[in-house]
Amino acid sequence: MIKKWLQGIFDKKELIEVREWRTDNSILKFLSSNLDNKGNLSEATHDLPDEKKDDEKIRFAAGLVDAMFGADDSDDSKRRITELSKHLKNIATKGDQISEQEFYRLITENEGVIGIIDEFLQAVVNEALPIQPNLFNFAKDLATRTDKRNAVKFGIAILGLCQNKSVLDDLKILGLHDEFTVYSAIAIANLSDNAENDLWELAQKVDGWGKIQLVDRLASPELSEQIKDWLILDGYKNKIMYEYLAYTCATNGELHKKLESEQIEHNLFKSASDIIEALTVEHSPAEDITTYAFASQVIQDFIRHSKKHATDISDFNALHKIKDFLTELQNDIGEQKKNGWNQDIISNCLIEIVEILNSRDWKVVAYEGLKSKDNVTYWNAKHASVKLGIDLWETVWKKLEENPLDSHSWYDVTHYSKPEHSDKIIDFALNHLPFDELATGAKDSNGFGDNYNKHASLEFATTFLENYPKKGEIIILTALRSPVTRNRNMGIQVLDKWKKENWSSEIEKEIRHLREIETNKHTKENIERLLNGQALK
């Protein structure tokens, strides 16, 4: 009797308060309430409800972290998997509320937990846990009734194992946000009766990292002709970099077959141009023209079609880019012979490109593009103007006058100026940069946020002063007093170029004061080196 009484005391567990983690203000509700009449997300969903807004920290694009970082196989991660698996087993077999709460806490309190999700799911599969009634309901609540992204991701992932199609519509809505696209795609592929079409439908409504991962998963040689057409015309387009999907779409969309026709539609020509340009980018983050088996065939056919379709300034740039690639390839074909290249083909392609480039007055086209209010057209015209020998000064100066705090315009003005423009540029900076607003004191800030353009404009104006000692002193002083570390570093570099004999007493006083208050270790070391006449690091 006493033994049982003592055992009861020692076996009694501390009562844990069960806290409600479900919410009616879920991420799913947030996304659902911001759909347009075509079923696309509005701009209002750019930031999720759990977004931590801090201008002092680098913010990753939605879905980027999951795309960048793979599985975490550290001992700590293995421990987490074991703990999560234990709680999920209690949930699935007993409907244990304490385990539900602890599971939710573990996945939402640690941002890095996403690195274990694949290994965790494998552990769940190995356990062969019962899905009904508890596991499915718990996973659904994680995905649809929480306001934390990690909970939603785990919920979606587990739902993909539950073989219950009732959640498909919710998964499709969640998948519209790049943060959840890849998770939804995997779950939809496991649950849908027509996965190819469902994934294609989703792919047409996303354009960030989610689209990149989704198209990579969707693309295969067995796709329908309709989806292959889409891969070539739209599938490669995304707001990150076309380079990520150009090879995937060219290969699986069979670009080489589409271009071999005698005549093609203009929209196919433009898409082919985009894809080829992306494939020929140096140091591409993905597979490129050097590994594309149909490179020679596609470029030959594209040049052939260019004789009819090359009409705007972006076409001029595309042909020039191909010309540069072929010129370099001519010097060393190497392993690219396997892609169909030989010296005769390269020479013929170069001859045809030169003929097209000489067939019209591209300067007229460039000048028209420089007047455009469309940023892409203007950028293409500006890029082409350099190759055409067009002086861009008047154009970029007008742009800056129209928007004195546009950092892109400040870069262009300082980049395309001549020495005789220096006083004009410095005077403009003195009259238009908000010095009091920018000189708020040293902090270790990266300058992101609402004032990014202003700080970046100050940076370019400061850099411009390198070759003009003693001029624009207030610009240098403002850079040294800026909360943005990059601006202070630029001010220090300019003063190093000026040499001490060109410093005013106020500048020397400011740099010595900065030495005492500087918050960034690297910048502080360079201030010491600057004052001691040593080379900067």
Side-chain angles (χ1 to χ4, degrees):
M1 190 74 176
I2 294 176
K3 183 178 179 182
K4 287 185 178 180
W5 177 71
L6 288 172
Q7 186 175 356
I9 291 176
F10 289 115
D11 285 350
K12 186 180 290 183
K13 295 180 180 177
E14 181 182 352
L15 291 176
I16 301 176
E17 179 185 358
V18 178
R19 298 177 181 175
E20 184 55 70
W21 47 270
R22 299 167 182 84
T23 177
D24 291 332
N25 296 316
S26 66
I27 286 176
L28 175 63
K29 182 178 179 180
F30 169 71
L31 298 179
S32 299
S33 62
N34 283 286
L35 293 175
D36 63 20
N37 56 11
K38 294 182 179 179
N40 297 312
L41 290 180
S42 70
E43 285 295 319
T45 61
H46 180 268
D47 291 336
L48 291 170
D50 66 341
E51 189 73 51
K52 296 177 181 178
K53 296 182 180 179
D54 186 347
D55 290 343
E56 302 306 316
K57 292 184 179 180
I58 295 175
R59 293 179 63 188
F60 293 102
L64 173 57
V65 173
D66 293 343
M68 285 175 58
F69 301 108
D72 180 357
D73 60 354
S74 64
D75 290 340
D76 184 53
S77 292
K78 292 174 182 175
R79 178 189 59 76
R80 288 180 190 167
I81 291 171
T82 299
E83 192 170 1
L84 287 170
S85 299
K86 177 191 72 176
H87 285 305
L88 198 67
K89 185 174 182 178
N90 286 338
I91 294 165
T93 57
K94 306 174 187 176
D96 186 84
Q97 290 184 314
I98 297 299
S99 284
E100 285 185 351
Q101 176 178 295
E102 284 302 291
F103 189 99
Y104 176 81
R105 182 185 65 80
L106 287 169
I107 62 175
T108 56
E109 287 186 358
N110 192 314
E111 293 180 4
V113 78
I114 289 301
I116 68 171
I117 197 164
D118 288 338
E119 289 298 319
F120 166 73
L121 289 176
Q122 187 57 54
V124 172
V125 171
N126 294 341
E127 286 279 359
L129 298 175
I131 292 172
Q132 296 293 350
N134 302 314
L135 182 60
F136 172 75
N137 289 331
F138 174 66
K140 183 179 179 181
D141 285 349
L142 283 178
T144 66
R145 297 185 62 194
T146 63
D147 58 2
K148 298 290 186 291
R149 67 189 67 196
N150 276 7
V152 174
K153 290 174 183 178
F154 268 84
I156 294 171
I158 298 170
L159 284 174
L161 305 177
C162 289
Q163 295 303 308
N164 189 323
K165 295 178 173 58
S166 66
V167 294
L168 270 171
D169 287 341
D170 289 339
L171 293 177
K172 290 175 183 179
I173 293 174
L174 290 168
L176 293 172
H177 198 285
D178 286 293
E179 192 70 28
F180 308 115
T181 306
V182 69
Y183 297 93
S184 293
I186 295 170
I188 290 169
N190 288 336
L191 299 177
S192 175
D193 293 328
N194 194 346
E196 183 178 286
N197 275 345
D198 281 343
L199 294 179
W200 179 37
E201 181 182 335
L202 180 57
Q204 293 174 75
K205 296 180 178 180
V206 289
D207 66 351
W209 283 106
K211 180 175 185 178
I212 291 170
Q213 294 174 291
L214 179 52
V215 170
D216 275 334
R217 289 176 180 272
L218 175 66
S220 72
E222 293 79 30
L223 292 171
S224 68
E225 287 304 315
Q226 191 177 17
I227 297 180
K228 287 180 181 179
D229 288 344
W230 176 81
L231 288 176
I232 297 302
L233 296 176
D234 290 296
Y236 65 92
K237 296 176 182 175
N238 66 86
K239 66 183 180 184
I240 310 300
M241 289 175 72
Y242 286 4
E243 289 87 326
Y244 280 106
L245 291 176
Y247 181 90
T248 298
C249 291
T251 302
N252 294 282
E254 298 181 328
L255 178 61
H256 60 291
K257 291 184 179 179
K258 293 178 173 25
L259 291 184
E260 65 187 5
S261 301
E262 189 65 29
Q263 300 290 332
I264 62 172
E265 295 294 325
H266 190 67
N267 63 341
L268 173 56
F269 174 78
K270 297 302 290 184
S271 291
S273 177
D274 286 343
I275 291 172
I276 292 170
E277 277 203 89
L279 287 173
T280 52
V281 166
E282 288 188 78
H283 312 299
S284 172
E287 290 180 287
D288 59 17
I289 197 76
T290 63
T291 56
Y292 183 38
F294 302 102
S296 172
Q297 178 185 338
V298 161
I299 287 182
Q300 287 180 81
D301 284 333
F302 177 78
I303 294 171
R304 173 170 56 85
H305 293 302
S306 296
K307 295 172 184 177
K308 173 183 177 181
H309 290 282
T311 55
D312 67 39
I313 203 63
S314 66
D315 302 326
F316 173 88
N317 288 332
L319 287 168
H320 253 286
K321 195 163 189 178
I322 295 171
K323 179 173 171 284
D324 292 341
F325 164 72
L326 293 174
T327 301
E328 187 173 335
L329 183 62
Q330 194 173 35
N331 296 326
D332 181 18
I333 297 179
E335 292 186 1
Q336 292 193 59
K337 285 182 179 179
K338 66 181 183 297
N339 299 332
W341 293 112
N342 61 48
Q343 290 295 346
D344 287 343
I345 291 174
I346 295 172
S347 296
N348 290 335
C349 285
L350 285 169
I351 290 169
E352 290 183 10
I353 288 175
V354 171
E355 287 177 354
I356 297 169
L357 293 175
N358 291 335
S359 66
R360 64 181 304 177
D361 190 348
W362 288 101
K363 282 190 175 183
V364 173
V365 185
Y367 279 121
E368 285 299 313
L370 291 173
K371 298 174 187 175
S372 176
K373 298 297 182 184
D374 179 75
N375 289 334
V376 175
T377 301
Y378 172 75
W379 183 92
N380 273 303
K382 188 175 66 174
H383 186 68
S385 294
V386 176
K387 292 188 176 296
L388 291 165
I390 295 174
D391 189 339
L392 287 166
W393 167 253
E394 292 297 335
T395 298
V396 298
W397 180 253
K398 183 180 178 183
K399 284 275 187 183
L400 182 61
E401 286 185 315
E402 291 171 354
N403 192 348
L405 293 178
D406 176 51
S407 57
H408 296 291
S409 294
W410 268 105
Y411 171 82
D412 285 346
V413 161
T414 56
H415 185 73
Y416 294 112
S417 66
K418 295 182 175 65
E420 58 264 31
H421 301 135
S422 59
D423 288 342
K424 188 175 184 178
I425 294 171
I426 295 169
D427 286 344
F428 191 86
L430 294 174
N431 289 316
H432 290 88
L433 291 180
F435 295 112
D436 290 341
E437 189 177 335
L438 295 172
T440 56
K443 288 171 61 178
D444 200 7
S445 170
N446 56 35
F448 295 144
D450 294 338
N451 288 322
Y452 173 81
N453 249 332
K454 297 175 185 177
H455 289 301
S457 296
L458 172 63
E459 179 185 352
F460 292 128
T462 304
T463 307
F464 180 73
L465 296 175
E466 281 186 341
N467 298 316
Y468 303 100
K470 297 185 179 181
K471 290 188 176 183
E473 184 171 301
I474 185 62
I475 299 172
I476 299 294
L477 289 170
T478 303
L480 295 176
R481 295 165 183 164
S482 169
V484 179
T485 306
R486 188 176 62 253
N487 284 346
R488 299 196 302 280
N489 287 335
M490 190 52 62
I492 292 166
Q493 288 181 39
V494 171
L495 291 178
D496 183 51
K497 290 283 183 69
W498 278 16
K499 305 302 180 187
K500 268 190 178 182
E501 60 265 26
N502 291 308
W503 299 1
S504 69
S505 58
E506 187 174 1
I507 282 181
E508 178 146 9
K509 179 181 177 182
E510 188 63 39
I511 198 71
R512 290 186 181 279
H513 172 65
L514 184 59
R515 176 176 59 179
E516 303 304 318
I517 65 168
E518 177 55 55
T519 55
N520 181 278
K521 182 180 178 182
H522 173 76
T523 304
K524 196 176 185 73
E525 289 176 358
N526 265 341
I527 293 171
E528 285 289 350
R529 299 182 74 84
L530 177 69
L531 290 170
N532 293 329
Q534 298 172 295
L536 302 182
K537 286 186 176 179

